[in-house]
Amino acid sequence: MTDPKYPRSEVNSEKCKGCGLCIAACPMHVLVESPKLNSKGYHFAEYVGKGCVGCGNCFYNCPEPDAILVYLKNYDPEKEV
Amino acid sequence: MKKTMLQKPKGFIDEYKHKAGAEKDRTHYCPGCGHGILHKLIAEALEDFGLVDETILISPVGCSVFAYYYFDTGNFQAAHGRAPAVATAASRANPDKIVISYQGDGDLAAIGGNNILQAANRGENIVVFFINNAIYGMTGGQMAPTTLEGQVTTTTPYGRNTDTDGFPIKMSEVLSQLTAPTYIERVSLHDAPHIRKTRNAVRKAIKNAKERKGFQFVEVLSTCPSGWKMDPVKSMKWVKEKMLPLYPLGVYRDLGDDAKITTRPVPVMDPVAVWEKLGISAEADVDFPRGDVAEEYRKLSIRVAGFGGQGIMVTGQALASVALEYGYNVSWLPSYGPEMRGGTANCSVNIQDGQIGAAEAVKPSMLLAMNRPSLEKFEEAVEPGGTLIYNSTLIDIEPTRADIKVFAIPITGIADELGNTRVQSMVNIGAYAAITDMFRVEDVIALLPKLFKGKKQAILDLNAKAVKAGFAYVKDNFK
Ligand SMILES: Cc1ncc(C[n+]2csc(CCOP(=O)(O)OP(=O)(O)O)c2C)c(N)n1
Ligand code: SF4
Ligand code: SF4
C-alpha cells in the first residue's frame, strides 16, 4: 500500500472561483462547496479529507491553472524536488 | 515520465506579470469559463512535449485576447479575426516553430470568416484552437454565427430567427470541404470524459504540428456562463443537451501519415535588396546640415488641405521628403475624398526628432489651407499657438482664430505669374522654408531632381523658381 495520504486533491481557497465544476466532476463526491467565503467572495471548493481516487477529473475540469492540484497515487514526497 | 502530481502546467507563466491589476496569480476569466479548461490542456501538452519555447501563440480579440498573459510562449495579439493571417506570417518566417492560432467563434466565424478559410485552404502549418461557445463573450453576449436557432442573446432577444439571422455555421464541416487541411476534429468540454477526448485532440494537433503536417483545426464546444446567464455546472449540461445535437463531435478529417509536408520558401527581410530594387541607396542620402529652427517648428504636425489637383499630396510628400534629408523623422498620410477628380483632398505630415505616434494630424500645429472649404473645416482644429498658412488668391474670407500665427499668401497667384498653376506645391515649400527656417532654398532646389524624377530640366527650373518665389514672398511681406 502506498501512503494513504495519497491520492489527494488540494484546493487553493484564494485562487478558486467557486464555479463548482470540480465538485460536479468528482466521481467520489469528495469535493464540496465550502460554507466559507474567500476574500473575493466565492464559496471555494474543499476536499473532504478522504476518498480521493486520483482520477484527476477535478484538475482537468477546473478552468483555473492553479486553483486545484492532485497528488496521484504514486506521489512520494521524498522523491519530489 | 509518469506524472505523480497534477498541477499548474509549465506552459503557463509562473506569475502573470503582463496582466494588469494586482491579481497576478489567477486568470481574468469568469468562474467556470471553458477558455480556462482549454488553456490548461494546451499548456500541459506544450510542457509534456517540451515545446513551450518552440511555440508562438497568436491570441485573438475576444475574452482570450489576454492569452498572452498566461502562456509562456512567444506571443502575438492579432486584430479581430486576423489571427490566422498573423499565424501564417509567424509560421512562414519560423518554419521550425509550432504556431497556434487561438480563436473564439465571433473572431473566427464572423469577422474573421474569410481569414480562416484562406489559411485552411493554403494548408498553413498552424494549429487552430477554436472555442465555440455560441456567443460573443467579451462584448456582453451578442449573437455569434454559431448561436443556436432560438437562442436568446442580447442581439436576439426573441431568440435567433433563422429567417432573419441565418443558420448556425458549422465551421468544422465547412473547413472539411477544403482539400488542404490535415486534421479537423470537433470535441467538447462538457464533462470529464469529453475533456479527456479534447486533451487527446489538443495533443494530436500539436504533435502533427511538430511534424510539420500542415493545417490542424480543433473545434472545442465550450461554455460562456456569463454570456449565457447560467451557472457553470448548468452551462455544461446545456452544451450536452443543446449544442451536441447541432454540432456532432468527431473527426472530420485525418490524413494521418498521408499528410503532405510542405516546405515553403522562408521570407527574408532584406531592406538593402528592397532599396536597390527601388533605386534607392543609403549613400545617396544628401543629409543636409540643419539651420537654426525655432523651438515651435521642431515638432510639427501639419495638415495640408484643398481641392484635388492643387498639389496637396505633392506638397505633403515634398515636406516629408525634404525634412528627411535634414535627418528628421517624418510621416505622410494621404486622405482622399470619394471623388476621383476635383474632390477634396488633404494629407497629414509629421516632422520631428522623436518617435512619431499617430500619423494623422488631428490637432495640427500647422495648417496649410489651399481653398476656402479647407480653411473652414480645419481652422478650429489648429493647436493654440500654431501656424496657419492660407491661399489668399482663392480664399476670400478672414481666418477667425486670434491665438495662432497667420500667413496669407497668394499661392495660386504666385504660381500663375510663373506661368503654370501646377507649381503651387513648390511655392508652398518655399513659403514653408521661409516661415520655419527648416529648409534652405538651395537645398530644396538641389533635391528637385529627386522629388520630380524623370522630369525635364525646364520643369525642374520652373519648380526652382516657384520655391524661390514662395520664399521671397514670405521674406518680403512678413517678419
Ligand atoms: C474590429 C473590431 N470589431 C469589433 C470589436 C469588438 N469585439 C470585441 S470582442 C468581440 C467578440 C468576440 O467574441 P468571440 O470571438 O466569440 O470570443 P469570446 O469573447 O466569446 O471568447 C467583438 C465583436 C473589436 N474589438 N474589433
Ligand atoms: S473547478 Fe477550480 S475554480 Fe471551480 S470550484 Fe473547483 S477548484 Fe474552484
Ligand atoms: S464572458 Fe464568457 S467567454 Fe468571456 S471569460 Fe466570461 S464566461 Fe468566458
Side-chain angles (χ1 to χ4, degrees):
Chain A
M1 262 304 270
T2 39
D3 185 338
K5 270 162 78 184
Y6 309 109
R8 170 162 65 82
S9 150
E10 193 174 289
V11 177
N12 180 317
S13 61
E14 266 310 301
K15 292 178 190 171
C16 171
K17 291 177 175 170
C19 70
L21 291 179
C22 57
I23 299 170
C26 175
M28 307 309 289
H29 310 289
V30 293
L31 289 166
V32 293
E33 185 185 294
S34 172
K36 286 179 266 175
L37 295 171
N38 66 16
S39 69
K40 297 289 288 181
Y42 293 128
H43 286 288
F44 50 89
E46 263 179 337
Y47 176 47
V48 298
K50 57 177 195 284
C52 171
V53 292
C55 70
N57 279 5
C58 55
F59 175 77
Y60 288 110
N61 277 257
C62 174
E64 272 301 302
D66 211 11
I68 193 162
L69 56 82
V70 178
Y71 298 93
L72 298 173
K73 199 160 63 191
N74 58 354
Y75 180 81
D76 180 351
E78 303 288 306
K79 284 191 196 148
E80 295 299 316
V81 270
Chain B
M1 209 183 67
K2 210 158 162 25
K3 289 183 208 266
T4 63
M5 196 177 173
L6 300 174
Q7 61 181 330
K8 179 178 167 182
K10 298 274 183 297
F12 288 125
I13 298 176
D14 272 352
E15 191 204 31
Y16 311 130
K17 53 179 185 267
H18 306 299
K19 189 171 179 251
E23 290 177 349
K24 307 220 186 271
D25 59 356
R26 60 201 80 179
T27 70
H28 71 290
Y29 292 112
C30 305
C33 172
H35 276 302
I37 303 177
L38 181 60
H39 277 28
K40 196 183 266 181
L41 299 177
I42 296 170
E44 185 198 31
L46 294 178
E47 175 188 357
D48 291 352
F49 301 155
L51 293 174
V52 181
D53 291 336
E54 304 302 316
T55 300
I56 303 170
L57 186 132
I58 321 295
S59 48
V61 165
C63 285
S64 48
V65 63
F66 298 127
Y68 64 85
Y69 285 169
Y70 312 119
F71 288 99
D72 202 8
T73 57
N75 287 283
F76 286 107
Q77 197 282 308
H80 209 4
R82 273 53 179 175
V86 176
T88 297
S91 151
R92 296 272 185 112
N94 303 278
D96 55 334
K97 299 292 179 220
I98 312 288
V99 178
I100 296 176
S101 177
Y102 186 108
Q103 302 180 258
D105 45 11
D107 189 81
L108 182 139
I111 193 167
N114 185 42
N115 228 260
I116 186 66
L117 215 56
Q118 304 302 334
N121 191 47
R122 293 190 302 266
E124 294 297 340
N125 239 328
I126 63 177
V127 185
V128 180
F129 290 120
F130 169 45
I131 283 275
N132 176 352
N133 60 12
I135 209 157
Y136 289 4
M138 174 170 248
T139 42
Q142 295 82 359
M143 186 190 89
T146 45
T147 294
L148 309 193
E149 185 174 351
Q151 185 182 336
V152 173
T153 69
T154 57
T155 46
T156 54
Y158 305 110
R160 181 175 188 166
N161 175 350
T162 54
D163 290 344
T164 48
D165 313 327
F167 294 86
I169 300 184
K170 305 175 179 185
M171 287 309 295
S172 290
E173 285 86 334
V174 169
L175 295 183
S176 64
Q177 300 307 307
L178 301 172
T179 309
T182 300
Y183 171 53
I184 300 175
E185 180 165 358
R186 182 183 288 123
V187 290
S188 169
L189 298 176
H190 70 271
D191 62 18
H194 286 88
I195 290 175
R196 292 205 193 250
K197 284 192 184 151
T198 304
R199 182 172 181 266
N200 291 340
V202 165
R203 295 168 91 85
K204 177 168 178 164
I206 292 175
K207 271 200 187 127
N208 280 353
K210 191 169 177 238
E211 291 161 22
R212 319 279 162 243
K213 281 187 176 163
F215 187 81
Q216 321 293 322
F217 187 82
V218 181
E219 173 171 350
V220 183
L221 302 186
S222 183
T223 57
C224 176
S226 300
W228 298 355
K229 304 184 175 46
M230 225 180 269
D231 78 54
V233 175
K234 278 213 188 83
S235 299
M236 291 299 185
K237 279 210 187 80
W238 196 85
V239 172
K240 182 176 173 198
E241 284 163 15
K242 305 286 180 183
M243 290 183 77
L244 285 194
L246 178 70
Y247 294 112
L249 304 183
V251 176
Y252 286 80
R253 170 75 54 82
D254 189 0
L255 298 186
D257 292 335
D258 296 336
K260 190 168 152 232
I261 297 186
T262 311
T263 325
R264 300 182 171 92
V266 180
V268 271
M269 184 67 190
D270 185 354
V272 177
V274 176
W275 294 340
E276 275 168 9
K277 267 262 182 305
L278 295 173
I280 305 166
S281 85
E283 292 93 76
D285 272 356
V286 179
D287 245 353
F288 299 123
R290 289 194 196 173
D292 240 346
V293 180
E295 181 69 36
E296 56 187 305
Y297 296 126
R298 288 199 201 141
K299 184 171 189 273
L300 282 174
S301 167
I302 309 168
R303 178 81 75 168
V304 186
F307 295 126
Q310 277 189 310
I312 305 300
M313 300 306 168
V314 179
T315 300
Q317 282 169 329
L319 285 173
S321 306
V322 178
L324 198 59
E325 303 287 345
Y326 288 94
Y328 290 98
N329 291 337
V330 302
S331 69
W332 171 74
L333 181 76
S335 161
Y336 300 93
E339 306 89 345
M340 293 298 283
R341 292 276 182 279
T344 55
N346 74 78
C347 64
S348 296
V349 176
N350 282 282
I351 300 175
Q352 63 186 69
D353 275 326
Q355 241 180 28
I356 295 170
E360 171 140 28
V362 179
K363 284 188 168 176
S365 50
M366 180 181 280
L367 170 63
L368 204 163
M370 293 292 285
N371 64 7
R372 181 172 163 169
S374 302
L375 179 66
E376 288 169 340
K377 181 165 178 199
F378 293 112
E379 185 183 354
E380 268 320 299
V382 177
E383 287 257 304
T387 305
L388 166 67
I389 305 169
Y390 75 95
N391 181 8
S392 57
T393 316
L394 297 185
I395 300 177
D396 52 5
I397 53 167
E398 292 289 316
T400 55
R401 294 275 297 271
D403 60 337
I404 55 179
K405 284 182 288 305
V406 176
F407 296 87
I409 304 174
I411 296 161
T412 309
I414 295 173
D416 274 344
E417 259 172 49
L418 293 170
N420 190 339
T421 324
R422 294 182 60 187
V423 298
Q424 286 173 110
S425 40
M426 288 304 118
V427 176
N428 288 339
I429 301 301
Y432 174 88
I435 292 167
T436 63
D437 290 325
M438 187 183 276
F439 307 158
R440 272 178 297 271
V441 170
E442 59 271 27
D443 293 348
V444 178
I445 291 172
L447 279 174
L448 288 177
K450 199 168 160 183
L451 292 177
F452 298 100
K453 220 172 236 139
K455 292 281 188 240
K456 293 204 185 75
Q457 192 57 44
I459 303 279
L460 298 181
D461 291 345
L462 187 62
N463 277 287
K465 274 190 199 155
V467 177
K468 286 182 191 158
F471 187 87
Y473 187 90
V474 171
K475 289 293 178 201
D476 295 346
N477 293 282
F478 304 98
K479 287 189 181 175

